[in-house]
């Protein structure tokens, strides 16, 4: 009986267990995870604060997942050392767990640059775990002035989640625009206006230079008074467990399309990895939930002797703020279509005869047709791209495509 | 398993499937009451141009990207049928972002919705196929890749 060990009980880890069980009903699966909660939709923590979900509904694969899939789970336990020759992992409890196949699904950790005086701030939080959300829920009251450093999607989701709970919410970012990793200067202002109309105070192109208790001194010379601070500047892949064992890492753990690391018997999946972005033609961090899930499943199947590939990876994100939907995907190369109104924005990017990326704000209907073009690297000369630019539909793909996709099981 | 398939040569572009779908999923027993004067929200849609028409609805894919991608774990299979638990759905629309067929859309309450083969409504089996006047839409078993 094969012994499988999964480290990390989030999306990639749970998907890895699903992948293993899709091929091997017998093997012994142990999952070790540092958090007290596991198998929950991490992006839901802002919806929790907003009151749009609750802990039972946040369960990603259902509360009976471990039992149904016969997975032994260890919550609140950290893997501290990997010994690849001995094929074992040393835990924070002092135990050593041996494995035949190991998958590292370690995710990422919030990153905080050194702010002067940060230690003088009593109420400071990150926003990446359910525990963070529960702590914020306690700390924020009707009068609280919340300051969020970072206007990426995590910071803004946090702001949305807290708006109705707090007295005021201010979000600052050194970047000139909100969600600067996803949006460009054409699209971002529409979001910024919408956020302001919904009661958020944005301070863009500005950040904190010094904290003095409940006062933030800003680069612009302004000061911001606050009661609760959230640092949402970014996340970094958790690579040290593998790196210290001699495995190959760059920004993330290097994993090929089979999700194998450079160490034999060791797989990796999810936000801790760096893998091929087919829209960019190079490896990168593809840290979004769908990729973590696809990679985890792929790793699990391969650990159990299968032959899965994760070979269509791109960055892609769908998110909404106060009813405004935003989607972004791929790599922003040459803009080939732009349509901007007061409340919406659509931009398509192409290079080398394939669609490489898009930004949609407002009207997001049927966006998956574009996403699929990017992931499949569909040569644009094989479709009626002029028609597709205006509206995503299956008509421009031609009759043979439709006969296959709509006429048989796919 | 049985799925909804469309023979585009036979589709008249009459849009009746859209009305039957919206009615079947309305929870109403009277079609006029359910649809008259309201924007309809069918889970199947007819598309095409002046020469070709066909209807598109969820393919209930063998390996559905939407199930893997759903941030809340709301999308799941029930006997092969891809279903959305609209209590769990938070309306992020990641399913819309990944569906290659454009077959998922936001519902009136913001939660995502799509064809569930009428298994959860009073129709009991796909109303689009049952009501298709030219039998362009069929509900039957087909192999992978078979057209
Ligand atoms: C607020 C927020 C909003 C988001 N919104 C979206 C969104 O809308 N759409 C989207 O696609 N993505 C979103 N994301 C990103 C998404 O949550 C991640 O891509 C996804 O959770 C990655 O899953 P993972 O399993 O790789 O890692 P993680 O979810 O980070 O989980 C890793 C787990 O491993 C555990 N772990 C780490 N090291 C060890 C160790 N040594 N021993 C034991 N356990 C360990 C950690 O405690 C953690 O539980 C959001 C993220 C956040 C924080």
């Amino acid at each position: 009986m094969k012994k499988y060990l999964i480290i990390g009980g989030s999306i990639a880890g749970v998907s890895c267990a699903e992948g293993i069980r899709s091929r091997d009903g017998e093997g012994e699966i142990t999952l070790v995870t540092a958090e007290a909660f596991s198998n929950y939709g991490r992006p839901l923590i802002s919806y929790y604060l907003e009151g749009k979900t609750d802990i039972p509904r946040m369960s990603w694969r259902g509360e009976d997942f471990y039992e149904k899939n016969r997975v032994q789970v260890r919550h609140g336990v950290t893997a501290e050392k990997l010994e690849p020759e001995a094929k074992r992992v040393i835990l924070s409890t002092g135990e050593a767990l041996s494995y035949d196949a190991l998958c590292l699904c370690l995710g990422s950790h919030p990153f905080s640059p050194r702010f002067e005086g940060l230690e003088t701030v009593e109420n400071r939080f990150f926003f990446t775990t359910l525990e963070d959300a529960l702590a914020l829920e306690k700390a924020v009251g009707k009068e609280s002035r919340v300051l969020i450093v970072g206007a990426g999607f995590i910071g803004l989701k946090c702001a949305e989640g807290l708006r109705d709970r707090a007295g005021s919410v201010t979000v600052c970012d050194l970047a000139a625009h909100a969600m600067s990793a996803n949006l460009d200067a054409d699209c971002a202002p529409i979001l910024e206006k919408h956020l302001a109309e919904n009661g958020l105070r944005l301070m863009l192109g500005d950040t904190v230079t010094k904290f003095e208790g409940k006062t933030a001194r800003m680069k612009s010379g302004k000061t911001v008074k606050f009661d609760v601070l959230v640092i949402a500047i970014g996340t970094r892949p958790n690579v040290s467990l593998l790196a210290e064992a001699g495995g190959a890492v760059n920004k993330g753990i290097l994993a090929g399309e089979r999700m194998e690391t450079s160490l034999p018997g060791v797989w990796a999946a999810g936000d801790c990895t760096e893998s091929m972005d087919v829209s960019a033609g190079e490896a990168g961090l593809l840290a979004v939930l769908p990729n973590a899930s696809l990679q985890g499943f792929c790793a699990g199947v391969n650990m159990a002797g299968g032959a899965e590939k994760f070979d269509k990876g791109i960055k892609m994100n769908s998110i909404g703020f106060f009813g405004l939907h935003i989607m972004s995907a791929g790599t922003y190369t040459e803009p080939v279509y732009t349509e901007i109104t007061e409340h919406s924005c659509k931009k398509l990017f192409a290079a080398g005869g394939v669609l490489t990326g898009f930004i949609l704000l407002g009207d997001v209907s049927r966006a998956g047709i574009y996403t699929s073009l990017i992931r499949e690297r569909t040569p644009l000369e094989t479709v009626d791209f002029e028609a597709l630019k205006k509206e995503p539909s299956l008509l421009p793909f031609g009759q043979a495509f439709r006969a296959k996709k709509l006429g048989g099981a796919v | 398993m049985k799925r909804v398939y469309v023979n585009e040569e036979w589709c008249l572009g009459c849009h009746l499937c859209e009305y039957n779908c919206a009615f079947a999923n309305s929870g109403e027993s009277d079609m006029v009451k359910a649809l008259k004067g309201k924007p309809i929200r069918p889970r199947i849609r007819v598309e095409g141009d002046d020469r070709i028409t066909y209807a598109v609805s969820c393919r209930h894919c063998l390996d559905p990207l939407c199930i893997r991608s759903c941030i809340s774990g709301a999308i799941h299979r029930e006997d092969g049928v891809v279903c959305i638990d609209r209590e769990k759905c938070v309306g992020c629309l990641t399913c819309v972002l990944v569906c290659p067929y454009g077959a998922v859309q936001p519902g009136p309450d913001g939660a995502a919705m799509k064809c569930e083969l009428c298994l959860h409504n009073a129709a009991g089996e796909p109303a689009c196929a049952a009501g298709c006047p030219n039998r362009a839409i069929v509900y039957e078993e087909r192999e992978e890749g078979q057209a």
Side-chain angles (χ1 to χ4, degrees):
Chain A
M1 217 168 36
K2 208 159 166 176
K3 263 180 152 172
Y4 301 97
L5 179 57
I6 301 169
I7 311 293
S10 184
I11 305 304
V14 166
S15 300
C16 177
E18 282 185 318
I20 295 169
R21 280 290 175 249
S22 73
R23 285 190 58 94
D24 181 351
E26 299 293 309
E28 203 176 276
I29 306 179
T30 304
L31 186 152
V32 172
T33 191
E35 280 183 71
F37 299 95
S38 69
N39 180 28
Y40 66 92
R42 184 171 306 286
L44 302 184
I45 61 175
S46 68
Y47 296 89
Y48 173 84
L49 289 178
E50 222 183 329
K52 285 196 175 164
T53 190
D54 47 36
I55 291 177
R57 280 185 290 166
M58 287 170 79
S59 175
W60 194 59
R61 283 295 182 250
E63 284 170 13
D64 56 356
F65 177 82
Y66 297 127
E67 202 189 311
K68 270 205 328 231
N69 290 282
R70 280 156 290 114
V71 179
Q72 295 268 358
V73 196
R74 308 283 304 272
H75 285 112
V77 177
T78 305
E80 294 193 330
K81 191 167 183 247
L82 165 59
E83 298 178 348
E85 280 85 32
K87 289 206 157 187
R88 55 181 208 167
V89 172
I90 314 297
L91 306 182
S92 51
T93 55
E95 292 157 273
L97 289 187
S98 62
Y99 61 82
D100 298 312
L102 167 70
C103 193
L104 302 178
C105 303
L106 308 172
S108 58
H109 60 273
F111 157 80
S112 176
R114 237 171 249 130
F115 286 108
E116 194 184 334
L118 187 59
E119 67 289 348
T120 67
V121 180
E122 206 179 301
N123 274 322
R124 67 187 137 102
F125 303 88
F126 289 120
F127 193 60
T128 57
T129 65
L130 180 52
E131 270 182 296
D132 292 335
L134 296 174
L136 271 168
E137 182 181 32
K138 274 207 188 117
V140 173
K142 275 282 166 222
E143 308 290 306
S144 307
R145 297 160 301 178
V146 177
L147 172 62
I148 299 172
V149 182
F153 74 81
I154 294 181
L156 292 177
K157 266 304 197 193
C158 181
E160 179 186 49
L162 288 175
R163 185 199 61 178
D164 289 345
R165 291 179 175 269
S168 67
V169 180
T170 303
V171 187
C172 69
D173 199 304
L174 194 52
H177 286 292
M179 271 182 80
S180 58
N182 304 73
L183 300 180
D184 66 3
D186 289 333
C187 304
I190 302 167
L191 168 64
E192 290 156 14
K193 186 164 165 271
H194 181 74
L195 294 173
E197 282 167 4
N198 282 280
L200 300 188
R201 178 175 173 222
L202 294 181
M203 299 178 80
L204 297 168
D206 201 359
T207 193
V208 181
T209 51
K210 190 179 180 189
F211 288 105
E212 291 163 3
K214 290 185 168 188
T215 303
R217 302 215 175 274
M218 307 297 289
K219 188 170 149 262
S220 59
K222 294 177 187 155
T223 58
V224 178
K225 299 270 186 199
F226 65 91
D227 304 298
V228 173
L229 174 70
V230 180
I231 307 260
I233 291 173
T235 57
R236 296 281 183 273
N238 291 327
V239 299
S240 59
L241 192 64
L242 186 89
E244 284 161 16
V249 304
N250 185 28
K251 278 185 189 154
I253 293 174
L254 295 181
E257 61 183 20
R258 286 174 44 82
M259 303 320 297
E260 270 171 313
T261 71
S262 64
L263 301 179
V266 184
W267 276 259
D271 281 12
C272 64
T273 64
E274 181 170 321
S275 56
M276 181 51 108
D277 177 341
V278 296
S279 71
E282 59 187 29
L285 303 177
L286 307 178
V288 286
L289 188 141
N291 290 325
S293 158
L294 290 163
Q295 292 178 336
F297 189 83
C298 170
V301 169
N302 292 335
M303 288 162 78
E308 273 282 307
K309 279 184 185 170
F310 176 81
D311 56 0
K312 291 175 186 163
I314 58 168
K315 288 179 212 160
M316 53 182 176
N317 194 273
S318 174
I319 209 154
F321 300 100
F322 309 111
L324 176 68
H325 286 288
I326 301 172
M327 293 190 184
S328 60
T331 304
Y332 306 153
T333 50
E334 280 297 305
V336 289
Y337 186 80
T338 304
E339 197 184 311
I340 299 176
T341 72
E342 204 188 328
H343 303 289
S344 72
C345 175
K346 172 173 179 175
K347 273 193 142 182
L348 305 178
F349 301 87
V354 295
L355 191 70
T356 63
F358 66 78
I359 303 173
L360 297 173
L361 212 137
D363 182 8
V364 296
S365 53
R366 310 192 82 192
I369 292 175
Y370 291 138
T371 308
S372 176
L373 281 174
I374 305 173
R375 286 171 36 91
E376 303 294 334
R377 298 185 58 71
T378 306
L380 295 177
E381 61 183 24
T382 63
V383 297
D384 179 355
F385 188 47
E386 286 311 309
L388 265 178
K389 280 178 184 171
K390 288 185 205 93
E391 198 191 346
S393 130
L394 300 183
L395 190 66
F397 287 81
Q399 206 273 328
F401 173 93
R402 287 194 303 275
K404 189 161 160 235
K405 302 291 183 181
L406 305 179
V410 287
Chain B
M1 79 179 246
K2 283 166 106 178
R3 290 179 167 81
V4 167
Y5 297 107
V6 182
N7 299 309
E8 78 178 43
E9 313 84 297
W10 297 341
C11 174
L12 305 169
C14 70
H15 294 261
L16 204 55
C17 51
E18 296 177 349
Y19 288 93
N20 283 326
C21 174
F23 174 48
N25 288 301
S26 67
E28 298 276 356
S29 53
D30 178 58
M31 194 161 191
V32 176
K33 210 167 139 203
L35 305 181
K36 197 166 180 194
K38 293 179 194 157
I40 67 160
R41 289 178 179 268
R43 299 160 187 217
I44 187 165
R45 72 153 79 196
V46 174
E47 54 177 58
D49 57 17
D50 45 13
R51 290 169 301 126
I52 307 163
T53 52
Y54 52 90
V56 183
S57 60
C58 172
R59 307 317 307 137
H60 299 277
C61 298
L62 299 167
D63 187 9
L65 261 179
C66 57
I67 294 188
R68 295 251 137 259
S69 302
C70 176
I71 69 166
S72 56
I75 312 185
H76 59 282
R77 271 191 193 284
E78 291 172 21
D79 298 325
V81 182
V82 178
C83 299
I84 302 181
D85 178 343
R86 304 186 70 216
E87 289 294 306
K88 279 182 90 171
C89 174
V90 294
C92 76
L93 305 188
T94 303
C95 47
V96 175
L97 171 72
V98 300
C99 175
Y101 308 106
V104 195
Q105 66 197 97
D109 56 352
M113 76 182 192
K114 59 171 209 61
C115 163
E116 297 183 355
L117 300 178
C118 287
L119 299 180
H120 292 137
N121 64 40
E125 66 167 50
C128 56
C132 181
N134 215 26
R135 289 198 40 79
I137 303 177
V138 293
Y139 179 51
E140 63 188 27
E141 194 118 11
R142 284 187 190 177
E143 295 297 311
E144 189 175 349
Q146 175 197 333

